[in-house]
Amino acid sequence: MSGFGARVLDWFRLGSHDHAGHGHHHDGHGPHGHTHGVVDPTIATTTRGIWAIKWSFVVLAITAALQLVVVLLSGSVALLADTIHNVGDAVTAIPLWIAFMLARRKPSKTFTYGLGRVEDLAGIIIVLIILFSAIVAGYEAIDRLIHPRAIELLGSVAIAGIIGFIGNEAVAVFRVRVGREINSAALIADGYHARTDGFTSLAVVLGAIGVWAGFPLADPIIGLLITIAIFAIVWQSSKAVLTRMLDGVEPGIVDEIHHAAEHVPGVRLVDARARWIGHRLHADIAIAADETLPLAEANRLAAMLEDELFQHMPALAAANVRFERHDHSHQHHHDHGDHAGHRH
């Protein structure tokens, strides 16, 4: 596992380029120049997302299958809760995979922004899947507290818990790393879910130790604690996904737009708005300008601002800049659609 994980991380480092983080990358090339013969960045990022999802599904399916065998042999309800969680986590790969496939489709006359929003819908489905798994696990744990039963093969239960931790941590690395690189809230939320699930797998080991030490209720109690952890994941993930669905962005994004505007002499920001469509950021910026300003100069200011925006925010897919007169009596819209969405 360690050698494979190292190769995976090397692959990420080689392929990450400038998708992650916010910073300047003055490399002498315009950040929004035409890229003839180059794969569209949206397709590239969603392909990376699909890659992570496929491996997540494989690793978690193997992990859950190994744990299920031990559950059937031992009767451990804590391990059952952990297995249910792992199965649920594996199943979440399906709506994410569908969402990323749909996001690769080109915009149409009906869906002029493409189908990136499907990714947010997938996030909601994932939250519901996790919620269902929590309810099932909680029911089994409470039932075992009311009707105690003996547990067998404690050593195997402990080993299965360790396997669950290793499998989930590997999946967490995949999903969080790629989710951050392509700015996918759904994939990041799913990655943190897998990471927390890894620690709940270690709780199964504690339950086995407790039963071995003569405290048989340790197993269902651990199962109940795992259920509570799953509910916490539901709450955390739902906030992140719902924020995106309601066109919410992190406050730092608006601050970054203002910071970019400060780098352009003669530009005074009037309004800055942004929203995510899938894992691509769209910004709408209004700047104040003198109505006597020549059109060529206005174009130059808008182009400079766009340059700064793309350099500050690698996730930015489109930046629409418009001018407003000082007296705000009317607006003169000035779109730079050709500049947006074409990045090296």
Side-chain angles (χ1 to χ4, degrees):
M1 178 67 72
S2 60
F4 172 74
R7 288 195 297 275
V8 169
L9 291 176
D10 286 340
W11 186 92
F12 274 129
R13 280 192 286 268
L14 288 171
S16 62
H17 297 300
D18 65 342
H19 288 287
H22 299 287
H24 301 276
H25 47 87
H26 301 284
D27 54 3
H29 300 285
H32 51 278
H34 293 281
T35 53
H36 298 290
V38 178
V39 177
D40 183 83
T42 304
I43 296 176
T45 54
T46 51
T47 299
R48 290 161 67 76
I50 292 170
W51 181 88
I53 291 168
K54 285 179 179 177
W55 275 111
S56 298
F57 181 81
V58 170
V59 172
L60 286 174
I62 294 173
T63 300
L66 292 173
Q67 288 186 315
L68 184 59
V69 172
V70 181
V71 168
L72 295 174
L73 295 174
S74 67
S76 168
V77 74
L79 185 58
L80 174 63
D82 193 42
T83 304
I84 289 173
H85 199 185
N86 285 331
V87 170
D89 198 20
V91 170
T92 59
I94 297 172
L96 267 181
W97 179 77
I98 294 172
F100 279 128
M101 291 298 291
L102 290 173
R104 296 175 68 170
R105 294 190 175 183
K106 296 293 183 182
S108 65
K109 290 183 178 179
T110 302
F111 300 101
T112 55
Y113 284 94
L115 293 173
R117 286 276 186 208
V118 176
E119 195 175 315
D120 296 328
L121 182 60
I124 294 295
I125 295 173
I126 287 168
V127 169
L128 293 176
I129 291 173
I130 300 170
L131 177 62
F132 176 75
S133 68
I135 293 171
V136 173
Y139 173 81
E140 292 294 334
I142 293 172
D143 180 67
R144 186 60 63 87
L145 279 171
I146 298 172
H147 308 101
R149 289 199 300 272
I151 301 172
E152 301 174 357
L153 303 174
L154 291 175
S156 298
V157 171
I159 292 173
I162 294 172
I163 290 173
F165 172 76
I166 294 173
N168 278 286
E169 183 58 26
V171 166
V173 170
F174 292 154
R175 291 182 173 177
V176 173
R177 182 76 180 253
V178 179
R180 283 176 175 168
E181 288 177 355
I182 67 176
N183 294 288
S184 169
L187 192 56
I188 292 172
D190 218 34
Y192 282 124
H193 163 222
R195 174 155 290 162
T196 307
D197 195 25
F199 289 110
T200 59
S201 294
L202 290 183
V204 173
V205 180
L206 287 178
I209 294 173
V211 174
W212 176 78
F215 187 54
L217 289 181
D219 185 70
I221 288 173
I222 290 295
L224 204 56
L225 291 175
I226 290 174
T227 300
I228 294 172
I230 302 174
F231 276 117
I233 293 165
V234 172
W235 174 252
Q236 179 186 12
S237 300
S238 61
K239 284 197 299 182
V241 175
L242 285 172
T243 296
R244 289 266 178 115
M245 287 199 75
L246 295 173
D247 280 345
V249 295
E250 301 81 354
I253 288 177
V254 176
D255 294 338
E256 200 69 48
I257 293 174
H258 282 269
H259 180 59
E262 292 172 358
H263 285 251
V264 184
V267 167
R268 183 170 67 84
L269 210 60
V270 175
D271 186 38
R273 301 182 185 186
R275 63 178 175 177
W276 292 98
I277 298 179
H279 53 266
R280 307 296 288 170
L281 188 64
H282 292 249
D284 186 18
I285 300 102
I287 59 176
D290 188 346
E291 60 181 352
T292 62
L293 197 67
L295 181 60
E297 180 64 16
N299 285 334
R300 188 186 69 83
L301 285 176
M304 288 177 63
L305 177 57
E306 286 174 357
D307 284 347
E308 288 294 334
L309 288 168
F310 282 110
Q311 288 172 11
H312 278 73
M313 298 182 289
L316 190 63
N320 296 314
V321 178
R322 69 179 188 273
F323 292 101
E324 289 189 357
R325 287 173 53 179
H326 286 300
D327 59 6
H328 304 290
S329 60
H330 70 274
Q331 293 182 350
H332 171 64
H333 291 278
H334 185 86
D335 261 352
H336 283 261
D338 289 339
H339 289 283
H342 297 283
R343 301 178 57 245
H344 289 292

